[in-house]
Amino acid sequence: MASKLQYICALSDEVGKSLSDYEKWTSFLKSAAWQYKYPFQDQILIYAQRPDATACASIDIWNKQLKSWINRGAKGIALLREGDRGQYLDYVFDISDTHSNNAPVRLWQYNSRFDGAIIETLENSFGELKSKSSITDAVISAAQNAVEDSKADYLSELKYAKENSFLDGLDELNIDVEFQQTAETSIAYTVLQRLGINADEVFEREDFPHIMNFNTIPALSVLGIKI
């Protein structure tokens, strides 16, 4: 029987390879919207094991910092880690796995009365916004600016990561266009989802025409790291 470590490694690969599909990718982004502090590989494993998780942390953080306790029988979410002796598993727990004798932990929630302040912060952080007539337009414009400002580094990585993917064989211009459009839309989708705005009412399948070309884990990882 395969060890738990082998199983989690295989799960990470299996789920990662499946994400170059519109339904799977947007489903993943809904989960990743809550796990933005975790690296891409962790986000994949949280999605694979607990797609409904909204706030994950280690036992130490729940106990010592948040004064919450893990429910009896709760099952941890396994994450891959690298140590001196190679790979090992670490575990985090979702807020739904916890309880507190004090005031419950409150997750941040978006309130439309702060639209003006949020839009101003986006513009201060990412430069002049193409459109800011609504919070949705502002998030989309900020995502466009963010990708434009940093895409050169990611495109450099993609030159090597594209091997064996459907991006392989495309010229630099087309790779640039496909990466930029997919990254912009994915970032905006994720942020809107975290704000509590239904991103599926903003974007359609046609807004993700190139996700199928990021069909290897190295290629998808360049995209995922950007998000």
Side-chain angles (χ1 to χ4, degrees):
M1 180 180 294
S3 70
K4 183 67 177 292
L5 177 59
Q6 290 173 319
Y7 169 75
I8 293 299
C9 287
L11 181 66
S12 179
D13 287 343
E14 178 185 353
V15 174
K17 290 175 182 176
S18 76
L19 295 181
S20 59
D21 167 88
Y22 167 71
E23 283 83 7
K24 296 283 182 61
W25 182 241
T26 52
S27 178
F28 165 75
L29 293 178
K30 289 181 175 73
S31 171
W34 294 92
Q35 314 303 335
Y36 56 90
K37 291 185 178 181
Y38 284 89
F40 184 54
Q41 185 184 56
D42 287 357
Q43 291 176 342
I44 289 177
L45 283 170
I46 292 171
Y47 167 69
Q49 297 168 80
R50 291 284 297 278
D52 60 339
T54 55
C56 295
S58 67
I59 289 179
D60 277 353
I61 290 177
W62 283 121
N63 291 173
K64 296 177 181 178
Q65 296 184 26
L66 301 174
K67 306 303 180 185
S68 295
W69 316 102
I70 306 302
N71 298 332
R72 185 183 299 276
K75 187 177 181 180
I77 302 168
L79 303 179
L80 290 169
R81 296 288 180 260
E82 290 284 347
D84 294 339
R85 298 183 180 181
Q87 284 188 317
Y88 66 96
L89 296 179
D90 194 15
Y91 291 86
V92 295
F93 292 83
D94 182 47
I95 189 172
S96 62
D97 298 321
T98 70
H99 65 277
S100 174
N101 296 326
N102 303 308
V105 176
R106 294 184 180 275
L107 301 182
W108 179 85
Q109 291 184 317
Y110 162 69
N111 189 313
S112 60
R113 67 192 175 109
F114 298 119
D115 280 4
I118 293 173
I119 291 171
E120 182 179 356
T121 299
L122 288 173
E123 195 152 45
N124 290 338
S125 300
F126 301 104
E128 183 178 357
L129 302 178
K130 181 179 179 180
S131 177
K132 52 183 178 180
S133 58
S134 69
I135 191 66
T136 297
D137 288 343
V139 167
I140 292 172
S141 295
Q144 292 170 346
N145 289 356
V147 174
E148 183 63 38
D149 288 346
S150 61
K151 71 176 180 177
D153 292 337
Y154 294 94
L155 289 173
S156 179
E157 292 181 37
L158 204 52
K159 287 181 180 179
Y160 305 98
K162 70 178 181 178
E163 186 176 357
N164 298 322
S165 75
F166 292 155
L167 295 169
D168 210 359
L170 297 180
D171 59 33
E172 290 187 5
L173 177 60
N174 277 297
I175 291 176
D176 183 324
V177 170
E178 293 197 8
F179 175 81
Q180 179 155 354
Q181 182 177 0
T182 308
E184 288 175 356
T185 310
S186 298
I187 291 170
Y189 186 106
T190 304
V191 173
L192 291 174
Q193 197 68 34
R194 180 61 186 88
L195 291 175
I197 298 169
N198 187 348
D200 289 329
E201 294 181 355
V202 179
F203 299 105
E204 301 176 344
R205 177 185 293 271
E206 290 72 20
D207 295 306
F208 292 89
H210 310 301
I211 187 60
M212 66 183 68
N213 290 337
F214 293 81
N215 64 317
T216 63
I217 291 178
L220 192 70
S221 293
V222 176
L223 182 64
I225 291 169
K226 176 59 183 170
I227 297 168

